[in-house]
Structures are given as C-alpha cells and as structure tokens.
C-alpha cells in the first residue's frame, strides 16, 4: 500500500515535469513565431545561412526584393542564387564572398559596393551586414544577413555628383568667361582703366583696336562724362606711338587769344606778354599723339591752321615765319554735333571731314545699364581706400536706384555720386543719402507717347539727316527701310511738310 503510494507520487511528478516542459516548449514556439513575425515584418531583407552557406530563413522583404518565392530560397546556396556576380558582370567566387567570410572568421562584415541578382536576371545595388551566428560554446553555425536596396541612394548620390560636377564646370566656365571678359575689356592691349561689359561699349573697343595701330585721325563723339579722354589715352597706348608723349589740349578751357600760342608756340616778343620763346603743344607731341578735347570749341579763325597741320604736318610759330614740320597723330573729341555746327557755319566743313576719318561714338551711361553696378563697385573700392573707410557693400535697393537713374552727367556723375556716398556712409553698406538726385530717375523722366508721335519724330529726324531727301540711295526711305511711296504716304498722314 505504501509502495503503491510512492509509485503514484512519482507518476505525478513526471506528469508535472512534462507539463512544464510542454509549457516551455509552447512558449518557445510562440516566442519563435513572434520573432519570426518581427523578422517577416521588417522593411529590410533578412535571411539566415548555415555554415555551408545554405539558406535557413528568408523574410518576405528579402524574397520580394530578389523576386523569388520563400520556398525557392530555403536550402539553396544563397551566394549562387543572388550573389554570384560582381557589379561589373564578372564572376564572384564564393571563397571571396564577404557574407561567407562572416562564418569563417567570426567577424561582422559591412559592405555597400556590391549587387544582388534577381530571379529575372536584373540586379540592384545593395548595402548589407553579415553577422556570424555562434552557439553557446562559441562555435560558428552560420550567419544572418540584413540588406537593403540602395538604388535610390545611389541615384541621389549620382545626381549629387552630377550637380557638383556641373557646379565645378560652371565655376571653371565662369572663371574662363571672367578671364575672357578681362581680355576682351583690355582687348589684349592692357586697357586696364576701361571697365565695361556692355555690348555697345565693347563695339567701341573693337573699333578702337582696329584703328589704334594706324596713324588715322580719330574723332571721339559722346556726351560729357562718357570717357572720351580715357578712350583717347587707350588709342595712344595701343598705337606704335605709345613710347612717345600724349599731349592733351582742352580747346574749351583756353581763351581764343591764347589757343594759337598754346598749339603752335610763339617767339619772344611775338605779342604783348610774350617774354620768352614758347614751344607749342604740336611740337611737344612730335612723334607722339595730340588729343584735342572739345574740338567743337575751336575758334573759327584758327581752324585753317589746324587743317594745315592735319593735311601737311606743318605750321609756323607766332612771330616766326619759318615752317616747322611735325609728325603727330591727332585724336579729337567733342560733345557737340559737328555736322550741325558745319550747317550753321560755326565749323569748317573741310576740317570736319579731315577730323571725321574714323569716328568713335561713345554710348551714354543710360544705354550701358549693365555697366552701372560694375562701375559703382570700382569707384566704391577706389574711394573707400582713399578715405580709409570700410564701405564695401552695395545693397540691391541701392543698385536698383543707381540703375534707374538717367545719369545726365554719365560716368563722371556716377563717380561723384559714389565718392559723396562713401564720405557720408556710416556703416559698411553704401548709403546714397542725398547724393543721388531723386527727380531724374528713368521711371520719372520717361513719358509714354503714342506710336504715331514716335513715328513722326523718327521720320522728321531721318528727313533732317538726309536734308529732306526722300528717295535714292542716301534718302530717308532707304535709311528707314521702307518704300518711297510708303514714306510719302506716312508723311501725308502725319502732316509732315518741309518748312
């Protein structure tokens, strides 16, 4: 009876142990399923390998990325299935595979420069981590591999590289364009003082280069302050006479009674106050260049002597009948319309044509909008250094104000405005203050007129230019690019008649 009790007791213990084991086994199974669900839900591809490289586990993300069904991958050599070839198409030996290396050297391998191959024969770039699996004794059992498709990242990297390459190319191009621009501005002849990127002014510089190496007389036309003296100096500096003097004469600054003496010189006692012999400017310029600024103000009675020098290269000093020969290149400049002065009898026609061998028409600053900020920056640097002030920023609003102004005084006025503004600025930003008149901006000055009014002005100007000659090769119709009958019809409609 006692023995039976003992036997029942042992059976109960066994049953309890079995129940516990069954519970643990069930718990482990549930835990395994839970972990498998986690792995299956992971966004990255995950698969496990045994120590032979055969697949023991694959999650859905991995299967979807390579295009296989789960059962097609289990028990297969993962390397032969999806990792058999390098990105360049060459065979990837398993012995060199970083995934296999994880369960031979026991190290974690992180790779991001290889590809995995899909079932359909295409491939995609991957980043993967191969982590060795060890048992409780430290024995290597295989590896677990997690990977992700990095196609988008590679595309972004490629786009970034392309953008950087484009930026570098743009930088190089800008540097080359800047270098080219500087060469164009200087026209390969060191025109260091000429600052411009305007097409109109570049046209002048191209013409300048064409005429500079000749001895042709140059007539520089343009409003006051457009840089006529600067261009004259550039012509001289490029010419074959650059090693000889450039002598300047301002015809408007000298009294009519003294200009002949200044140009041609005088002997002692030639007139009251002539206390000593004086060499004239033409003699000083012998072998070089003479710049006759404001030639339109040359007294009419002196113009024949100037014409003689231009034609014959000779003259007489006041008080000396002996002829003096000179070899001088003449550059003249004026802001007057000499053709009108000729028509009014204020300037000799023969002298005008002798001066007008090669005219250079300088555009006003209002027609060189792209040069305004460039010139402003130049003058800002110049006067900041001159006054010992750190004014080095031109804001967009200031630049806009400068661009909208009509600049009746042209570059000279711009320089004066910047100089005054540098003096009055109290920070590193240029403050125009009252330096720029507010009543002469382009937007305020320009008025809207009708097409007919514009057409009438254009036709009148053209007719005046051709002396009211309507037809023919030099007629107004030819200049306007229309038929004679069309012009006559427009004149009739607009009531244009010669006075």
């Amino acid at each position: 009876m006692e023995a039976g009790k003992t036997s029942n007791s042992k059976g109960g213990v066994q049953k309890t142990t079995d129940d516990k084991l069954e519970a643990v086994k069930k718990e482990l199974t549930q835990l395994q399923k839970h972990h498998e669900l986690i792995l299956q839900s992971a966004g990255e591809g995950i698969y496990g390998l045994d120590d032979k490289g055969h697949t023991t586990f694959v999650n859905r993300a991995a299967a979807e990325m390579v295009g296989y069904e789960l059962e097609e991958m289990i028990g297969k050599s993962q390397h032969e299935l999806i990792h058999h070839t390098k990105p360049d198409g060459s065979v990837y030996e398993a012995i060199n595979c970083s995934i296999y290396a994880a369960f031979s050297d026991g190290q974690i391998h992180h790779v991001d420069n290889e590809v995995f191959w899909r079932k359909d024969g295409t491939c995609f770039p991957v980043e993967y981590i191969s982590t060795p699996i060890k048992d409780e004794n430290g024995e290597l059992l295989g590896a677990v591999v997690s990977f992700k498709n990095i196609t988008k990242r590679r595309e972004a990297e490629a786009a970034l590289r392309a953008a950087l390459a484009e930026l570098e190319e743009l930088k190089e191009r800008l540097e080359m364009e800047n270098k080219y621009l500087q060469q164009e501005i200087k026209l390969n002849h060191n025109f260091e003082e000429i600052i411009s990127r305007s097409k109109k002014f570049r046209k002048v510089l191209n013409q300048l280069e064409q005429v500079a190496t000749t001895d042709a007389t140059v007539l520089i036309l343009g409003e006051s302050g457009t840089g006529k003296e600067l261009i004259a100096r550039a012509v001289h500096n490029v010419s074959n006479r650059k090693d000889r003097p450039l002598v300047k004469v301002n015809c408007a600054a000298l009294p009519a009674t003294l200009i002949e003496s200044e140009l041609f010189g005088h002997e002692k006692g030639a007139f009251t106050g002539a206390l000593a012999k004086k060499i004239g400017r033409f003699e000083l310029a012998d072998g070089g260049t003479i710049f006759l600024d404001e030639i339109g103000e040359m007294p009419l009675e002196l113009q024949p002597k100037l014409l003689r020098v231009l034609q014959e290269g000779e003259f007489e000093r006041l008080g000396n009948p002996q002829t003096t020969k000179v070899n001088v290149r003449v550059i003249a400049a004026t802001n007057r319309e000499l053709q009108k002065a000729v028509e009014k009898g204020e300037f000799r026609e023969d002298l005008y044509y002798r001066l007008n061998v090669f005219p250079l028409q300088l555009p006003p600053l209002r027609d060189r909008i792209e040069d305004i900020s460039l010139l402003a920056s130049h003058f800002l640097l110049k006067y900041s250094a001159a006054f010992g002030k750190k004014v080095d920023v031109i804001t967009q609003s200031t630049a806009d104000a400068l661009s909208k102004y009509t600049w009746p005084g042209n570059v000279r006025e711009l320089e004066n405005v910047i100089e005054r503004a540098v003096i009055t600025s109290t920070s590193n930003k240029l403050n125009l203050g009252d330096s720029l008149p507010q009543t002469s901006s382009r937007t305020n000055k320009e008025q809207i007129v009708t097409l007919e009014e514009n057409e009438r002005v254009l036709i009148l100007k053209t007719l005046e230019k051709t002396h009211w000659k309507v037809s023919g090769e030099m007629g107004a119709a030819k200049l306007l690019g229309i038929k004679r009958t069309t012009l006559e019809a427009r004149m009739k409609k607009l009531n244009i008649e010669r006075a």
Side-chain angles (χ1 to χ4, degrees), residues 365-366 368-370 372-373 396-408 414 432 436-446:
L365 188 56
R366 60 183 172 273
R368 296 167 52 192
I369 303 300
E370 59 267 54
I372 293 175
S373 61
Q396 188 60 51
S397 59
T398 298
D400 291 343
L402 292 172
S403 296
K404 290 177 181 178
Y405 187 64
T406 53
W407 301 109
L414 174 60
L432 294 178
L436 188 67
Q438 300 299 311
T439 57
S440 185
S441 70
R442 184 172 288 101
T443 52
N444 290 336
K445 188 173 182 178
E446 291 179 352

Side-chain angles (χ1 to χ4, degrees), residues 45-59:
I46 300 172
Y47 63 85
L49 302 174
D50 61 19
D51 59 355
K52 300 294 188 296
H54 296 143
T55 310
T56 57
F57 169 82
V58 180
N59 73 344

Side-chain angles (χ1 to χ4, degrees), residues 112-162:
D112 64 355
N113 60 350
E114 295 178 3
V115 297
F116 279 178
W117 292 84
R118 300 185 182 94
K119 184 178 180 179
D120 62 8
T122 61
C123 65
F124 57 94
V126 292
E127 177 185 12
Y128 67 79
I129 299 175
S130 180
T131 306
I133 300 174
K134 300 177 183 179
D135 63 14
E136 62 273 10
N137 298 318
E139 293 292 327
L140 291 168
L141 301 178
V144 61
V145 180
S146 62
F147 69 94
K148 54 186 174 183
N149 185 336
I150 58 172
T151 299
K152 290 185 178 179
R153 192 180 84 187
R154 287 291 173 82
E155 289 174 350
E157 289 172 352
L160 179 60
R161 284 194 298 271

Side-chain angles (χ1 to χ4, degrees), residues 375-387 389 391 402 407 411-425 430-432 435-436:
L375 289 163
S377 296
H378 169 72
F379 294 136
L380 179 64
L381 184 65
K382 174 182 175 180
Y383 289 109
S384 293
F387 301 142
K389 300 184 72 173
V391 183
L402 292 172
W407 301 109
V411 179
R412 186 181 295 118
E413 183 184 10
L414 174 60
E415 181 173 6
N416 292 341
V417 165
I418 300 299
E419 183 180 5
R420 288 196 300 272
V422 169
I423 293 172
T424 58
S425 294
L430 186 71
N431 180 15
L432 294 178
S435 301
L436 188 67

Side-chain angles (χ1 to χ4, degrees), residues 39 44 48 56 105-106 117 157 189-190 195 242 246 288 301 308 380 408 442:
L39 293 175
E44 291 187 357
T56 57
D105 61 17
W117 292 84
E157 289 172 352
H189 292 295
N190 297 320
I195 298 172
K242 60 185 178 182
L246 169 65
E301 63 273 17
R308 183 186 172 198
L380 179 64
R442 184 172 288 101

Side-chain angles (χ1 to χ4, degrees), residues 175-454:
E175 287 175 352
M176 290 177 66
E177 286 177 357
N178 182 55
K179 184 177 180 181
Y180 175 74
L181 178 61
Q182 293 301 322
Q183 290 173 342
E184 286 295 301
I185 290 173
K186 297 180 180 182
L187 290 174
N188 299 318
H189 292 295
N190 297 320
F191 298 164
E192 293 91 350
E193 295 177 299
I194 298 176
I195 298 172
S196 176
R197 58 184 171 211
S198 127
K199 290 183 179 179
K200 289 186 177 181
F201 205 85
R202 289 223 2 229
K203 181 181 178 182
V204 173
L205 296 182
N206 288 327
Q207 293 174 330
L208 185 157
E209 188 177 38
Q210 291 171 347
V211 73
T213 53
T214 72
D215 280 337
T217 301
V218 177
L219 179 61
I220 304 172
L221 306 167
E223 298 175 6
S224 178
T226 51
K228 295 188 288 295
E229 183 179 346
L230 193 64
I231 293 297
R233 191 156 54 243
V235 172
H236 173 73
N237 289 341
V238 176
S239 73
N240 299 325
R241 299 170 180 264
K242 60 185 178 182
D243 295 326
R244 301 293 299 160
L246 169 65
V247 178
K248 178 186 173 182
V249 180
N250 189 326
C251 301
L254 295 169
T257 53
L258 294 179
I259 192 168
E260 182 177 3
S261 172
E262 283 296 324
L263 288 175
F264 307 118
H266 64 255
E267 297 292 333
K268 181 180 179 180
F271 53 86
T272 303
L275 303 178
K277 177 182 175 180
K278 179 182 176 68
I279 300 296
R281 303 288 179 93
F282 270 96
E283 281 186 80
L284 290 174
D286 191 22
T289 307
I290 191 166
F291 174 44
L292 303 176
D293 198 9
E294 304 294 351
I295 189 67
E297 305 305 318
M298 176 74 70
L300 194 59
E301 63 273 17
L302 193 58
Q303 292 179 21
K305 289 191 174 184
L306 178 59
L307 178 62
R308 183 186 172 198
V309 176
L310 290 172
Q311 290 178 334
E312 310 296 336
E314 59 185 34
F315 62 91
E316 290 86 31
R317 290 196 204 107
L318 286 174
N320 186 348
Q322 184 178 350
T323 298
T324 301
K325 300 281 290 185
V326 290
N327 177 14
V328 176
R329 199 251 183 96
V330 175
I331 301 175
T334 183
N335 57 10
R336 292 185 62 187
E337 292 186 29
L338 291 184
Q339 183 67 53
K340 288 187 176 180
V342 169
E343 293 171 2
K344 293 179 181 179
E346 299 171 354
F347 202 86
R348 287 180 64 104
E349 186 175 28
D350 50 1
L351 177 58
Y352 167 68
Y353 288 120
R354 195 69 186 82
L355 290 170
N356 199 39
V357 175
F358 198 96
L360 290 176
Q361 181 70 53
L362 303 191
L365 188 56
R366 60 183 172 273
D367 291 341
R368 296 167 52 192
I369 303 300
E370 59 267 54
D371 286 344
I372 293 175
S373 61
L374 197 64
L375 289 163
S377 296
H378 169 72
F379 294 136
L380 179 64
L381 184 65
K382 174 182 175 180
Y383 289 109
S384 293
F387 301 142
K389 300 184 72 173
K390 188 174 176 56
V391 183
D392 54 11
V393 175
I394 298 178
T395 63
Q396 188 60 51
S397 59
T398 298
D400 291 343
L402 292 172
S403 296
K404 290 177 181 178
Y405 187 64
T406 53
W407 301 109
N410 291 293
V411 179
R412 186 181 295 118
E413 183 184 10
L414 174 60
E415 181 173 6
N416 292 341
V417 165
I418 300 299
E419 183 180 5
R420 288 196 300 272
V422 169
I423 293 172
T424 58
S425 294
T426 56
S427 69
N428 68 323
K429 294 180 181 179
L430 186 71
N431 180 15
L432 294 178
D434 297 326
S435 301
L436 188 67
Q438 300 299 311
T439 57
S440 185
S441 70
R442 184 172 288 101
T443 52
N444 290 336
K445 188 173 182 178
E446 291 179 352
Q447 295 180 351
I448 302 299
V449 295
T450 65
L451 285 173
E452 281 198 354
E453 287 171 325
N454 273 325

Side-chain angles (χ1 to χ4, degrees), residues 7-20:
S7 177
N8 289 337
S9 176
K10 285 182 179 179
V13 171
Q14 182 64 42
K15 185 178 180 182
T16 303
T17 301
D18 290 343
D19 290 343
K20 287 183 178 179

